Amino acid sequence: MQEYGQNWEDIESALQQAKSKDISYEKVLSSMCTYPHPVAVEAHRIFIESNMGDYGLFMGTYELEKSVLTMLGDLLHNSHPYGYLTTGGTESNIQAVRAMRNACTSIKDPNIIVSGSAHFSFDKIADILKINVRKARILPDLVVDTEDVLSLIDKNTVGLVGIAGSTEFGQVDPISELSKIAIDNDLPLHIDAAFGGFLLPFLPNHVPFDFSLPGVTSIAIDPHKMGLSTIPSGALLFREEKMMELLKVDTPYLTISSQCTLTGTRSGASVASTYAVMKHLGKEGYQQVVNKCMKLTNLLLDETKNIGVKPVIDPVMNIVALSVEEPKKIRTELATQFGWQVSVTKQPSSIRLVVMPHMTEENILAFVRDLKTVIQQLQSSEINMQE
Ligand SMILES: *Cc1c(COP(=O)(O)O)cnc(C)c1O
C-alpha cells in the first residue's frame, strides 16, 4: 500500500482500466450469472452498509429478509420456511450438509449420498466437514440412478442430495423417487436447486422438485443466477426449524444472541436487492424471463441441428450441451477468433452453453454461424493433415 491516499479521479481511471479487461456478458455463454436487474442494483446501493450478521441493528433489513423467505417459500411450496440468505449455492450446500451431520453426532464416520451430477461444492464439503461424499451413478440421460442411491445407503448415512438443474447439463434428478427413498430410510433430503430454483417453477409440466414432495427437507436456490439479483445472493430454506437450529452458535457481544449462518458479517445489500427484484418482477416477470431464455434455447437447438450438431440430451432448461469432436479446441477457437465464451463438460465431453437473459436472438444466430466456421476449419485442417 502506498503511503498517501490518491484522489478519486486517479482511482477511477485505474478502475476503468481494470474494468476494460473484464469481459462483458454479451458474448458469454459459459456463465450462470448475468446482469442483475437495475432495480436490484439500486436496492443494493441503498442498503450498502447493512450487516445482517448483527441484524438487531438492521431490523428493517431483517424484515425484508423475512419477506424474501416467504416469497421463496411460496415459489417452492412451503408457506412457512426457515432459512436465510447466503452468499450462494456453495454456502447453502455446506450448511445443509452441516445440519445433516450435526443431526447425527453419534455417527463417527458419516456419509451422504449425492447425485453423480452434483456441483463441485460437494468436493469442498467433503473436505471441510470431513464427511464421506458418495456419488451415485448417473444414467445415460444424466439423471441419478436411484437404485444406486439405495445401494449406497448404510448405517453411517446421514442424508441424501438431489440436483434440480445440474450445473453441467441442466438435468433434474428424479426427486420424487429420492423423496420416497428419504422417507423410507428416515433420512433428510437436500435439493440443490441453486440454478434451477428460479427456472423450474416457470417451465410447463416440470417435474416436482420442491417442498411439495414430503421427503424434501431443505433447498438451495440462488437469486444471483436466474433470480437476477446482485452477487452475492443465495438462499437456504429448511422445512423444519429444528434442522436449522442444528447450525446455531452463541454470539456474545452482538445485538442477537445466536447465529445459524456460516458467515459472520453478512450482506444486507443482497437481501434488499433480492427483495426488490422479486417484488418488481413478480411471478409474471420471472415467467417472461424464463420464456425468453427457453425460446432462445430452442432457437439455438434448431440452428445447431441445422449445421449437423446434436445435443447430448434434450435440454430440460436453458443449458445446451453440444456433442462435438474436440470440444476444447473448439472452445479455444471460438474465444480467440470470435470472442465467445463457452465451457466444456467433463463426462460426456461436450461444449456447454448457458442461455442467460443477456442473450439475444441476433447473438444466438451469430454464435451458430461462428461455431459452423470453427467446425469446418477443424475438419479441413484434419483433412490437410491426413494428406
Ligand atoms: C452454481 C451452482 C452452485 C454453486 O453456487 P455458487 O453461488 O457459485 O456458490 C451449486 N449448485 C449448483 C447446481 C449450481 O448450479
Side-chain angles (χ1 to χ4, degrees):
M1 193 191 238
Q2 82 286 354
E3 194 61 32
Y4 299 104
Q6 285 181 327
N7 62 36
W8 167 245
E9 283 70 27
D10 292 345
I11 294 165
E12 190 184 23
S13 104
L15 292 176
Q16 289 301 347
Q17 218 180 337
K19 181 100 179 164
S20 72
K21 294 180 195 161
D22 288 356
I23 291 174
S24 67
Y25 276 118
E26 277 72 22
K27 294 187 118 179
V28 175
L29 281 156
S30 57
S31 177
M32 291 183 146
C33 289
T34 186
Y35 294 109
H37 194 286
V39 157
V41 176
E42 182 59 12
H44 193 109
R45 198 187 59 76
I46 296 170
F47 282 78
I48 199 74
E49 74 279 17
S50 168
N51 171 20
M52 292 296 281
D54 195 6
Y55 62 76
L57 298 175
F58 301 96
M59 285 312 286
T61 322
Y62 182 68
E63 282 171 23
L64 294 181
E65 182 174 45
K66 292 281 160 236
S67 293
V68 171
L69 287 170
T70 304
M71 288 190 277
L72 288 172
D74 183 47
L75 200 60
L76 302 172
H77 296 102
N78 184 332
S79 56
H80 197 65
Y82 300 88
Y84 74 97
L85 295 200
T86 65
T87 51
T90 301
E91 182 184 343
S92 301
N93 289 338
I94 291 171
Q95 290 285 81
V97 176
R98 189 176 149 219
M100 289 174 174
R101 192 201 59 178
N102 289 358
C104 309
T105 45
S106 60
I107 295 177
K108 290 287 166 273
D109 189 20
N111 68 65
I112 54 169
I113 321 293
V114 308
S115 169
S117 70
H119 182 260
F120 55 76
S121 49
F122 287 91
D123 297 332
K124 300 181 185 178
I125 285 169
D127 187 29
I128 296 168
L129 295 175
K130 301 295 171 218
I131 191 167
N132 294 306
V133 174
R134 297 182 171 176
K135 292 184 182 167
R137 197 170 44 229
I138 291 297
L139 296 169
D141 58 353
L142 305 176
V143 301
V144 73
D145 179 355
T146 51
E147 294 287 320
D148 199 40
V149 171
L150 208 48
S151 74
L152 287 170
I153 295 174
D154 64 19
K155 63 179 192 331
N156 292 331
T157 302
V158 299
L160 309 177
V161 177
I163 315 297
S166 65
T167 312
E168 282 198 304
F169 299 100
Q171 185 56 284
V172 182
D173 285 329
I175 312 287
S176 316
E177 284 175 54
L178 291 176
S179 167
K180 283 198 201 91
I181 293 174
I183 290 172
D184 290 348
N185 291 275
D186 198 19
L187 288 169
L189 170 61
H190 174 65
I191 302 304
D192 183 356
F195 185 75
F198 268 97
L199 186 122
L200 279 172
F202 304 105
L203 290 184
N205 312 319
H206 71 82
V207 294
F209 72 99
D210 60 17
F211 291 112
S212 60
L213 299 167
V216 173
T217 49
S218 60
I219 299 179
I221 173 172
D222 274 1
H224 66 203
K225 290 178 177 171
M226 286 299 288
L228 305 185
S229 188
T230 52
I231 297 170
S233 300
L236 173 61
L237 275 71
F238 287 104
R239 185 189 292 276
E240 289 185 17
E241 189 171 23
K242 69 171 200 275
M243 198 83 184
M244 170 138 153
E245 302 238 306
L246 293 163
L247 300 171
K248 202 178 237 179
V249 298
D250 292 336
T251 52
Y253 52 78
L254 296 186
T255 55
I256 50 175
S257 60
S258 67
Q259 265 183 7
C260 294
T261 56
L262 183 61
T263 59
T265 302
R266 184 160 68 93
S267 171
S270 294
V271 170
S273 65
T274 303
Y275 172 87
V277 66
M278 290 186 77
K279 279 284 178 194
H280 182 70
L281 288 177
K283 286 183 183 161
E284 189 204 11
Y286 282 114
Q287 183 68 63
Q288 282 170 13
V289 171
V290 170
N291 288 352
K292 178 195 164 179
C293 291
M294 293 313 294
K295 195 172 151 219
L296 292 178
T297 300
N298 288 324
L299 176 69
L300 175 64
L301 271 180
D302 290 344
E303 292 294 316
T304 48
K305 276 180 190 160
N306 282 342
I307 63 164
V309 178
K310 290 201 184 70
V312 175
I313 54 163
D314 282 335
V316 177
M317 36 185 80
N318 51 340
I319 300 176
V320 180
L322 297 173
S323 269
V324 288
E325 302 282 328
E326 306 195 80
K328 282 185 181 163
K329 264 193 191 167
I330 291 184
R331 174 179 62 183
T332 307
E333 293 307 315
L334 281 169
T336 51
Q337 293 185 51
F338 300 105
W340 296 107
Q341 299 294 320
V342 305
S343 46
V344 169
T345 61
K346 232 169 145 182
Q347 191 55 17
S349 181
S350 70
I351 292 266
R352 166 183 174 271
L353 309 165
V354 190
V355 184
M356 291 301 286
H358 56 257
M359 262 305 128
T360 60
E361 188 175 319
E362 195 187 350
N363 270 358
I364 293 286
L365 297 176
F367 171 77
V368 178
R369 264 201 310 277
D370 295 342
L371 176 66
K372 184 180 174 189
T373 305
V374 167
I375 290 174
Q376 283 173 345
Q377 286 170 353
L378 287 177
Q379 283 168 348
S380 62
S381 72
E382 259 165 45
I383 292 165
N384 291 340
M385 270 160 59
Q386 280 164 7
E387 277 168 358

